[in-house]
Amino acid sequence: MIVGAGTFGASLAWHLARRGDDVVLVDQFEPGDVRATSGGETRLIRCGHGTDADYTAMARRARTLWCELEAETGASLYTETGVSWFAHSDDGWEAKSEATLRALGIPVERQDLTRAYPSFAADDLTWVLHEPEAGVLRAQFAVQTLARAAAARGARVVRGRAAPDGDRVRLGDEVLEADRVVWSCGGWLAKLFPGLVDVRVTFQELFFLDGGSGWERVPAWIDYDRGVYGTGDLDDLGVKFAWDQEGPPLDPDADLPPATAETEQLMRGYVADRFPALATARLKGTKTCRYEITPDSHFIAAAHDGVWLVGGGSGHGFKHGPALAERIVAAWHGGAPLPHHFGLHTRERAPSLRSAGSN
Ligand SMILES: Cc1cc2nc3c(=O)[nH]c(=O)nc-3n(C[C@H](O)[C@H](O)[C@H](O)COP(=O)(O)OP(=O)(O)OC[C@H]3O[C@@H](n4cnc5c(N)ncnc54)[C@H](O)[C@@H]3O)c2cc1C
């Protein structure tokens, strides 16, 4: 039984159903709801994670599994735009990522971006690292597709708000038992397991500019040192700019506030620096959402008192869903144990593994 049908829980349901296991997937909302962190149209998939070879390899494996989900369902979930990392030094996150990617045989190149975007200013950049086999996932649709694919293989998808009852699951008047119970509840984990899970839930803002033609097939990009990332104009959403500094706290049950004029101004300042032709482009739309961040930005995947807790996506969890699910299930069945840093121990703050290197 899996409570929480975000990328982590729905991936587990799909993986287990593919093995032929009996699965119940419970969520308080429909899979892909905007109130969940896996809601929203797009998420980047990239392999670069600095010196961390484990996340690098997991992201690469996830790419294969997302493509398998596409093949199994016929759904178009992934657009291989490539992802460009803007480097501000010769020995920073990008150089470390490049070394790790090359060591693992993952395609990567140093790129001249002068013609990659209709407008691009690079005066403050030292070089650009490009992952040609990275890109953008249709997030909400991918989660819905995971749940549908699991259901097609026999999983039961149930709507309801559940609560822990020892190693069982309370759902309305019923108390349900299963051989294994997984709580993959995103930002709600800390409310469900207070004192056990160190997850801060923060408010994050996204902006979409009307760039006009020429911005459809540009590489997605990450400016790790400046804490901003974005994509081209995919699916007519507009050119996406995400202000990736850690936002203020926001309860997972609170309404999502609208985007703020302050952050729009910060975003506009960045756009004027980096993509000057877009500086005055019309704002086509905004979105807001939540991160659920662990202090070291490592995920959570650990057992506690007969149940499993999975989460702590920390602004970079989406892409990993199917590969993390595969690893968790392998660990249950005598395969490689999960890394210590996924555990429930007290964690120290550490540099972020998401697309913002600073806060
Ligand atoms: C704006 C934004 C941009 C991001 N960009 C990227 C990116 O580019 N690349 C990337 O890899 N990651 C990215 N992330 C991070 C990624 O989206 C998250 O780490 C990931 O989606 C978290 O998934 P989850 O399954 O843990 O949580 P969620 O998606 O929140 O799912 C948890 C589910 O649990 C359910 N639930 C909770 N409590 C209960 C209960 N008591 N009973 C029943 N159901 C319950 C909720 O309804 C929810 O559906 C981004 C996140 C945001 C917000």
Side-chain angles (χ1 to χ4, degrees):
M1 180 169 296
I2 301 156
V3 184
T7 189
F8 289 155
S11 293
L12 265 174
W14 179 52
H15 185 76
L16 290 166
R18 275 179 122 190
R19 285 169 36 98
D21 292 325
D22 291 330
V23 183
V24 180
L25 176 64
V26 182
D27 203 293
Q28 60 190 343
F29 309 134
E30 292 299 322
D33 189 283
V34 291
R35 289 165 284 187
T37 310
S38 305
E41 282 87 358
T42 57
R43 295 287 185 271
L44 299 189
I45 176 162
R46 42 83 189 184
C47 292
H49 285 80
T51 55
D52 198 311
D54 191 56
Y55 283 97
T56 303
M58 183 158 58
R60 185 69 177 172
R61 174 66 184 151
R63 178 181 172 278
T64 301
L65 293 170
W66 286 116
C67 293
E68 282 182 22
L69 180 64
E70 282 191 318
E72 183 174 313
T73 60
S76 171
L77 306 175
Y78 171 51
T79 303
E80 199 163 84
T81 59
V83 171
S84 298
W85 295 86
F86 301 159
H88 294 260
S89 70
D90 287 328
D91 56 359
W93 171 268
E94 297 76 17
K96 289 171 186 152
S97 295
E98 182 186 28
T100 312
L101 290 161
R102 288 197 191 284
L104 293 181
I106 297 171
V108 68
E109 59 205 33
R110 291 194 173 222
Q111 192 186 27
D112 174 5
L113 274 189
T114 36
R115 276 195 296 277
Y117 300 96
S119 155
F120 185 67
D123 305 350
D124 58 333
L125 301 182
T126 317
W127 58 290
V128 174
L129 177 70
H130 186 65
E131 292 186 48
E133 294 186 3
V136 183
L137 290 162
R138 293 187 173 80
Q140 194 169 34
F141 183 43
V143 168
Q144 290 160 351
T145 304
L146 283 167
R148 265 201 296 273
R153 290 176 177 268
R156 207 150 60 84
V157 183
V158 175
R159 179 103 186 244
R161 180 144 174 153
D165 187 340
D167 61 0
R168 299 178 302 174
V169 175
R170 185 172 292 279
L171 192 62
D173 296 336
E174 283 186 287
V175 177
L176 306 170
E177 293 186 7
D179 297 332
R180 265 202 187 85
V181 171
V182 178
W183 294 89
S184 46
C185 293
W188 287 267
L189 268 186
K191 288 179 99 169
L192 290 164
F193 299 94
L196 192 60
V197 177
D198 188 356
V199 166
R200 280 166 304 122
V201 181
T202 62
F203 171 61
Q204 305 298 143
E205 302 174 61
L206 306 171
F207 300 86
F208 298 83
L209 296 181
D210 185 355
S213 64
W215 289 92
E216 295 86 3
R217 298 293 299 188
V218 301
W221 52 273
I222 301 174
D223 198 328
Y224 182 80
D225 288 338
R226 289 189 64 179
V228 193
Y229 71 90
T231 71
D233 186 354
L234 284 172
D235 299 340
D236 205 25
L237 292 166
V239 186
K240 173 175 168 178
F241 290 87
W243 192 256
D244 206 15
Q245 308 293 319
E246 194 174 307
L250 180 66
D251 188 281
D253 287 309
D255 289 340
L256 278 166
T260 62
E262 292 77 12
T263 310
E264 183 186 343
Q265 203 182 346
L266 290 166
M267 182 277 297
R268 289 269 183 200
Y270 180 85
V271 173
D273 288 352
R274 183 69 68 229
F275 304 104
L278 290 180
T280 55
R282 182 178 70 88
L283 187 63
K284 193 165 178 178
T286 62
K287 304 257 172 190
T288 57
C289 62
R290 299 177 179 85
Y291 281 160
E292 64 297 297
I293 309 182
T294 61
D296 53 11
S297 79
H298 286 307
F299 304 153
I300 296 165
H304 173 77
D305 274 358
V307 300
W308 274 74
L309 308 185
V310 177
S314 303
H316 69 111
F318 192 89
K319 68 185 92 46
H320 294 283
L324 181 64
E326 184 178 66
R327 293 179 76 178
I328 291 171
V329 175
W332 290 345
H333 294 282
L338 295 168
H340 172 74
H341 55 238
F342 289 175
L344 295 170
H345 51 277
T346 306
R347 299 182 180 199
E348 303 294 328
R349 270 185 89 86
S352 169
L353 289 160
R354 72 176 195 275
S355 37
S358 62
N359 273 314

